[in-house]
C-alpha cells in the first residue's frame, strides 16, 4: 500500500489509533487540573506506542529503503520489544497485574534488553538468519509470558469474583484479555512469520480492548467511590484516609507526626476507618494501583 510493505489492515489500525489519540488529547484538556489526569496521560502514551508499533512493523523490512535488511529487522524487533515492555508496564500499573513478586519490573526490563542482544542481535549478525535468531528470541519471551499468564489469570479471576459491579468485573477481565493480546505477539510471529494481518490484528486487539475499558473510566470511577463511603467517615477519619490513599507508603509514625497525634490515637481512627469502608488493613490500600487511588480521590 502506498508503494510500501504496509498492509491495508495495518493502515486501518493506525488510523483508528490515531483517532483515539486525538480524542484522548481533547479529553485531557478537560481533566488537566484534576488529580486523575495521569490516567489519561498513561493511556495517551500507550496509544502512541501502538501507533509507533504498527508503523514500524508495517513498513519494515523494505528493500526499497536505503538501509540494509539486517539493520531494518534489528530496528523493527527493538521497537517491538520497547512497545511490548511499555504495554506490559501499562497493564501492571493500571490493572495491578502480579508477575514475580521477588523480581522488580526494572529487572525484567534489563533481562529483556540482554535477551534482545544475546538471543537476537548477536545470532542474527553472525548467522544472517532471521529465522534462527527469531526462534531464540521470541521462544524465550513466549515461555516467560506463558509462565506469567498463570498468575495473571488466577489473580484477575479472584478480582472478577469479588467485584460486585459489572463495570469493575469488565476492568479485571480486560487485564486478562490485554495480557493475552501481548502473549499472542511472539506466538503469532513464531507460527505465521511476517504476516501483518495476523500479527498486527491480534496485538492491536489488545489496544482496542484497553481503549474500551478506558472509555468506561467515568463509570468505573463512580463504582469505586461507592466502595469508599467518605460520607460515613468523620472529618478526621476522612483526613487520615486521604493521606493513606495519597501516600500509602507512609509509616504510621510518619502519619502520626504529620497529624500531630499519638500512634495509639491513629490506630483507633484506623480501626474505625477500616471497619466502615470494608478494608482489612493498610496493605490493601498499598496494593491498590495509583490510578484507582487517584480515581477515588478525584
Amino acid at each position: 500500500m502506498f508503494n510500501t510493505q504496509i498492509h491495508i489492515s495495518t493502515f486501518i489500525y493506525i488510523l483508528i489509533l490515531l483517532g483515539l489519540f486525538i480524542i484522548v488529547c481533547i479529553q485531557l484538556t478537560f481533566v488537566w487540573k484534576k488529580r486523575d489526569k495521569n490516567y489519561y496521560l498513561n493511556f495517551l502514551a500507550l496509544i502512541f506506542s501502538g501507533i509507533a508499533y504498527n508503523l514500524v512493523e508495517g513498513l519494515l523490512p523494505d528493500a526499497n529503503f536505503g538501509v540494509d535488511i539486517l539493520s531494518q529487522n534489528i530496528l523493527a524487533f527493538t521497537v517491538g520489544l520497547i512497545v511490548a515492555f511499555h504495554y506490559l508496564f501499562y497493564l501492571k500499573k493500571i490493572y495491578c497485574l502480579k508477575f514475580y513478586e521477588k523480581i522488580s519490573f526494572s529487572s525484567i526490563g534489563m533481562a529483556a534488553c540482554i535477551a534482545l542482544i544475546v538471543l537476537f542481535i548477536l545470532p542474527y549478525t553472525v548467522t544472517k538468519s532471521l529465522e534462527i535468531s527469531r526462534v531464540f528470541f521470541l521462544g524465550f519471551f513466549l515461555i516467560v509470558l506463558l509462565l506469567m499468564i498463570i498468575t495473571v489469570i488466577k489473580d484477575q479471576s479472584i478480582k472478577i469474583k469479588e467485584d460486585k459491579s459489572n463495570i469493575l468485573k469488565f476492568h479485571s477481565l480486560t487485564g486478562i484479555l490485554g495480557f493475552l493480546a501481548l502473549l499472542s505477539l511472539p506466538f503469532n510471529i513464531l507460527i505465521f512469520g511476517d504476516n501483518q494481518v495476523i500479527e498486527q490484528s491480534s496485538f492491536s486487539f489488545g489496544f482496542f480492548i484497553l481503549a474500551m475499558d478506558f472509555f468506561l473510566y467515568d463509570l468505573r470511577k463512580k463504582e469505586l467511590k461507592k466502595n469508599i463511603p467518605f460520607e460515613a467517615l468523620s472529618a478526621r477519619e476522612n483526613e487520615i484516609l486521604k493521606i493513606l490513599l495519597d501516600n500509602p507508603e507512609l509509616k504510621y509514625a510518619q502519619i502520626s507526626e504529620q497529624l500531630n497525634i499519638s500512634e495509639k490515637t491513629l490506630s483507633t481512627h484506623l480501626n474505625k476507618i477500616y471497619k466502615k469502608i470494608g478494608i482489612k488493613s493498610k496493605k490493601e490500600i498499598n496494593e491498590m494501583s495509583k490510578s484507582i487511588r487517584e480515581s477515588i480521590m478525584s
Side-chain angles (χ1 to χ4, degrees):
M1 189 174 184
F2 305 124
N3 294 320
T4 67
Q5 296 297 314
I6 197 165
H7 192 274
I8 186 171
S9 60
T10 303
F11 180 69
I12 291 172
Y13 299 146
I14 292 172
L15 290 180
I16 295 173
L17 290 169
L18 187 59
L20 288 172
F21 187 86
I22 294 171
I23 291 172
V24 178
C25 282
I26 295 172
Q27 289 183 323
L28 189 57
T29 61
F30 294 100
V31 300
W32 187 254
K33 294 184 178 181
K34 294 184 179 181
R35 183 183 291 271
D36 56 350
K37 72 174 183 180
N38 288 328
Y39 178 69
Y40 293 82
L41 288 171
N42 286 325
F43 184 71
L44 194 66
L46 180 75
I47 293 301
F48 178 80
S49 68
I51 295 172
Y53 172 81
N54 277 283
L55 271 174
V56 173
E57 301 300 325
L59 292 172
L60 302 180
D62 189 335
N64 294 322
F65 286 0
V67 181
D68 61 276
I69 297 297
L70 187 146
S71 297
Q72 289 187 47
N73 280 322
I74 290 177
L75 175 61
F77 271 79
T78 301
V79 171
L81 178 62
I82 293 172
V83 171
F85 184 75
H86 179 218
Y87 183 96
L88 183 63
F89 176 77
Y90 180 88
L91 290 179
K92 178 176 173 58
K93 186 173 185 178
I94 303 301
Y95 296 92
C96 293
L97 298 191
K98 295 180 180 179
F99 307 126
Y100 304 111
E101 294 185 3
K102 295 182 179 180
I103 302 177
S104 67
F105 203 75
S106 58
S107 298
I108 295 177
M110 188 177 297
C113 291
I114 294 173
L116 175 67
I117 296 171
V118 175
L119 299 178
F120 182 75
I121 295 178
L122 289 179
Y124 188 30
T125 304
V126 173
T127 65
K128 301 297 188 296
S129 171
L130 179 61
E131 291 298 324
I132 294 175
S133 53
R134 185 162 56 190
V135 168
F136 285 157
F137 179 63
L138 295 177
F140 169 76
F141 279 102
L142 182 60
I143 293 172
V144 172
L145 291 174
L146 284 172
L147 293 174
M148 285 182 173
I149 193 63
I150 298 172
T151 303
V152 169
I153 291 178
K154 179 182 177 181
D155 289 341
Q156 294 301 105
S157 297
I158 292 174
K159 292 178 185 177
I160 292 172
K161 290 180 181 179
E162 293 178 346
D163 290 332
K164 298 178 182 179
S165 165
N166 288 332
I167 297 295
L168 297 180
K169 287 180 183 292
F170 180 74
H171 180 69
S172 298
L173 177 62
T174 301
I176 297 177
L177 296 176
F179 192 89
L180 287 174
L182 178 61
L183 178 63
S184 73
L185 190 56
F187 176 82
N188 285 331
I189 297 175
L190 281 172
I191 300 299
F192 302 105
D194 294 323
N195 188 315
Q196 282 191 48
V197 176
I198 296 176
E199 177 191 341
Q200 255 73 353
S201 295
S202 60
F203 192 34
S204 293
F205 166 78
F207 289 92
F208 298 148
I209 195 73
L210 295 179
M212 288 176 61
D213 189 50
F214 170 81
F215 288 114
L216 292 173
Y217 177 65
D218 285 335
L219 292 175
R220 188 165 67 253
K221 185 162 60 173
K222 291 179 181 179
E223 293 297 326
L224 289 170
K225 287 184 175 181
K226 287 180 183 179
N227 295 333
I228 307 292
F230 284 99
E231 66 280 356
L233 304 177
S234 67
R236 184 56 121 180
E237 290 167 354
N238 260 293
E239 184 180 11
I240 293 172
L241 179 56
K242 287 178 179 178
I243 290 174
L244 282 174
L245 289 170
D246 201 27
N247 297 288
E249 71 281 356
L250 286 179
K251 296 180 179 179
Y252 289 141
Q254 293 173 302
I255 299 174
S256 299
E257 183 179 353
Q258 183 175 335
L259 295 172
N260 197 26
I261 60 177
S262 67
E263 288 192 44
K264 184 177 180 181
T265 301
L266 175 64
S267 179
T268 301
H269 283 307
L270 287 172
N271 287 333
K272 292 180 180 179
I273 292 170
Y274 295 151
K275 185 177 181 180
K276 290 178 181 179
I277 67 176
I279 288 179
K280 296 178 182 179
S281 65
K282 184 170 176 287
K283 182 181 178 182
E284 288 191 33
I285 296 177
N286 280 328
E287 290 178 348
M288 290 182 183
S289 70
K290 185 177 180 181
S291 65
I292 289 178
R293 289 187 278 107
E294 288 176 341
S295 298
I296 295 171
M297 295 178 67
S298 63

